[in-house]
Amino acid sequence: MQDCGSPEVVFRLSPLVQQRHWHAVLGSFLYPGSPSALADTPSSPPDLPEASPSHDTTVCPVPSRPSFPGSPAPCGRRAWLDMDRETRVFAENHFRRLRGRLPSRVCPILDRVDFIENPDSFSYSDFFKGYLLPNLPCVFSSAFTEGWGSRRHWVTPSGKPDFDYLLQNYGDVVVPVANCGVQEYNSNPKEHMPLRDYISYWKEFIQGHYSSPRGCLYLKDWHLCRDASAKGIFTLPVYFSSDWLNEYWDTLDVDDYRFIYMGPTGTWSPFHADIFRSFSWSVNICGRKKWFLFPPGQEEALRDCRGGLPYDVTAPAFLESRQHPGLNHCSPPLEVTQEAGEMVFVPSGWHHQVHNMVEWAHPAPRAQELAQEDTISINHNWVNGCNLANMWHFLQQELRAVQQEVSEWRDTMPDWHHHCQPEDLLQQLEEVMAAMESL
């Protein structure tokens, strides 16, 4: 095992927070998707009814629990309780080994990302113990998503996006579109347009041999799942059903962290870690993606002389730059090629960069032999008891950064309060922190 964090500072949880965090983690196993059930987490598994054929025995049966192809066969109450006790002991030992350190800052040294082939032999408990709790990535085979409506309706028999279907069902929906050819800080500027206009651009981009004077545009962060028309496009995998973040926003009915991405070959997402240090999962409906994954803490070696993180870790200028003194101390990223139908789990705090791929035909990589991979994916960010401490620590860091920035600039700008309302921002951050603490 290695401590992936900075050697100078090791963040530790107080004994009280450790205790609360453990109760939250246990709740993520026993009660997926139910943060309200954590106030009095039982010291032993609850007294459950005998399992029935409709029960998925890897988690506590709840009314809205999703199903997925290849759900494990039900078993009796005794087997369910024995499995829970085993998992509870595993989790207790895991947190004893952490000794108060952040879960995301302690991870084994990996040389590859595990591939999960068969839904019939992989339970929620397997995922919880092998990947969710230790905060490690994995890739699920296309067998886990073979029953999804989007894989049937959004894709042509040749594996390309079905533009006609998308236009017919979502053509008038206004979507956010990023320009991958323009850097705006460490991201890309966005505009909004009807989906039919983006698909028109996409077709022209293909006809122009994957080039356009408008640049390389990428439909990103489309909240289709807030729309009733999104029903039936996918089935939430049980492994990701303990999702407090989206359950909270669904209750308010104002927002969510479920997104659709669509774009041609060459579109990409710059180097980043997911919002709030959440978990994320991503499924390719069609096309191929190349992922570059960095364990928590590795990003510190990628900072430039001013402390900034890179925009593109694959750029020759970055790799050859003397502005990144720690680059030689950074291990190579884990690389994953994600095929159509496959599902990538990205753990909390793992920085990553993602490209929609160009595949060279064999044997010679000539321009006319490029196999272009237009891509559609479904992506969720989510939080539960297993990464709650990471989220808490991240919000604390952000609050301190804002406070420091405000204190440095307050006396240097005339009419400070006319241009900026820092107290409002600080109040919002502190309200979020108080809500987190109440958990």
Side-chain angles (χ1 to χ4, degrees):
M1 301 286 285
Q2 66 174 343
D3 188 336
C4 297
S6 168
E8 290 82 11
V9 179
V10 177
F11 178 81
R12 294 186 181 276
L13 306 177
S14 69
L16 177 59
V17 173
Q18 289 184 54
Q19 183 182 25
R20 289 178 176 174
H21 182 224
W22 159 240
H23 279 263
V25 171
L26 181 61
S28 295
F29 181 74
L30 294 178
Y31 309 102
S34 302
S36 60
L38 301 179
D40 295 299
T41 305
S43 58
S44 59
D47 189 17
L48 294 175
E50 196 74 28
S52 69
S54 64
H55 288 163
D56 178 346
T57 56
T58 62
V59 295
C60 178
V62 291
S64 59
R65 186 190 67 258
S67 61
F68 68 102
S71 296
C75 58
R77 175 175 178 271
R78 175 55 53 191
W80 192 97
L81 293 176
D82 288 345
M83 182 190 67
D84 261 6
R85 291 193 179 102
E86 176 189 352
T87 304
R88 179 190 177 103
V89 170
F90 179 89
E92 287 176 338
N93 291 334
H94 172 81
F95 281 99
R96 287 193 186 100
R97 289 193 298 270
L98 288 179
R99 299 178 180 176
R101 290 173 292 178
L102 277 177
S104 68
R105 292 298 189 183
V106 179
C107 56
I109 299 174
L110 301 179
D111 58 4
R112 63 181 178 83
V113 176
D114 287 348
F115 187 78
I116 314 301
E117 182 71 43
N118 187 359
D120 294 322
S121 59
F122 191 73
S123 68
Y124 182 87
S125 179
D126 293 331
F127 176 67
F128 182 88
K129 293 189 293 185
Y131 303 97
L132 191 63
L133 200 58
N135 204 49
L136 299 176
C138 63
V139 179
F140 297 79
S141 76
S142 60
F144 288 83
T145 64
E146 62 184 359
W148 285 20
S150 53
R151 290 191 61 193
R152 295 193 304 272
H153 303 305
W154 290 11
V155 183
T156 66
S158 63
K160 300 293 184 181
D162 191 330
F163 292 138
D164 292 338
Y165 182 90
L166 295 170
L167 284 170
Q168 180 180 350
N169 287 274
Y170 312 111
D172 294 328
V173 178
V174 176
V175 297
V177 176
N179 189 335
C180 295
V182 179
Q183 180 178 353
E184 188 174 81
Y185 300 102
N186 270 25
S187 188
N188 308 117
K190 282 185 180 179
E191 58 180 310
H192 287 78
M193 64 180 71
L195 180 63
R196 66 176 66 258
D197 290 353
Y198 179 73
I199 289 180
S200 177
Y201 154 82
W202 196 346
K203 290 178 178 178
E204 293 173 1
F205 191 82
I206 295 172
Q207 292 168 358
H209 303 287
Y210 286 82
S211 179
S212 169
R214 297 176 61 185
C216 188
L217 304 184
Y218 193 10
L219 190 162
K220 297 178 68 174
D221 302 326
W222 174 20
H223 292 264
L224 175 62
C225 296
R226 290 198 306 232
D227 191 335
S229 63
K231 291 182 178 178
I233 66 173
F234 74 98
T235 302
L236 180 65
V238 69
Y239 313 105
F240 314 135
S241 60
S242 180
D243 180 354
W244 302 358
L245 186 62
N246 288 296
E247 186 172 285
Y248 170 76
W249 286 111
D250 287 346
T251 301
L252 298 182
D253 196 26
V254 294
D255 204 354
D256 69 357
Y257 286 87
R258 309 177 182 102
F259 307 106
I260 307 296
Y261 284 43
M262 298 184 182
T265 293
T267 50
W268 65 293
S269 293
F271 183 75
H272 69 284
D274 287 320
I275 187 169
F276 302 141
R277 297 303 181 261
S278 57
F279 297 129
S280 68
W281 59 264
S282 177
V283 173
N284 272 2
I285 304 306
C286 63
R288 306 170 79 230
K289 292 182 185 289
K290 170 70 79 173
W291 293 74
F292 301 91
L293 297 161
F294 294 82
Q298 284 287 320
E299 74 279 0
E300 298 302 324
L302 303 179
R303 293 188 183 275
D304 60 26
C305 295
R306 296 184 296 270
L309 289 171
Y311 169 70
D312 180 2
V313 296
T314 67
F318 166 73
L319 297 174
E320 298 171 2
S321 175
R322 297 180 180 179
Q323 298 297 314
H324 301 82
L327 191 58
N328 292 333
H329 304 290
C330 182
S331 301
L334 292 171
E335 296 188 20
V336 171
T337 298
Q338 180 188 17
E339 305 289 346
E342 293 180 351
M343 181 163 56
V344 172
F345 166 62
V346 181
S348 175
W350 282 63
H351 281 70
H352 50 282
Q353 186 169 310
V354 190
H355 294 254
N356 294 326
M357 291 182 62
V358 176
E359 181 181 13
W360 291 98
H362 296 289
R366 296 192 296 270
Q368 64 269 29
E369 294 176 335
L370 282 174
Q372 307 291 356
E373 295 286 346
D374 299 300
T375 303
I376 301 175
S377 65
I378 298 177
N379 312 269
H380 281 203
N381 295 98
W382 49 296
V383 172
N384 62 30
C386 292
N387 63 339
L388 195 62
N390 299 334
M391 182 177 180
W392 167 256
H393 180 48
F394 173 73
L395 290 174
Q396 285 181 315
Q397 286 183 315
E398 293 297 290
L399 178 59
R400 287 194 294 268
V402 171
Q403 290 171 330
Q404 179 66 26
E405 195 79 10
V406 167
S407 68
E408 291 178 357
W409 288 95
R410 184 191 302 274
D411 298 328
T412 64
M413 182 184 294
D415 301 323
W416 166 263
H417 289 282
H418 176 72
H419 296 286
C420 180
Q421 293 79 42
E423 287 79 7
D424 293 342
L425 176 59
L426 289 173
Q427 181 180 354
Q428 292 176 18
L429 284 170
E430 287 167 351
E431 287 174 356
V432 171
M433 297 289 288
M436 289 287 296
E437 191 170 19
S438 70
L439 287 175

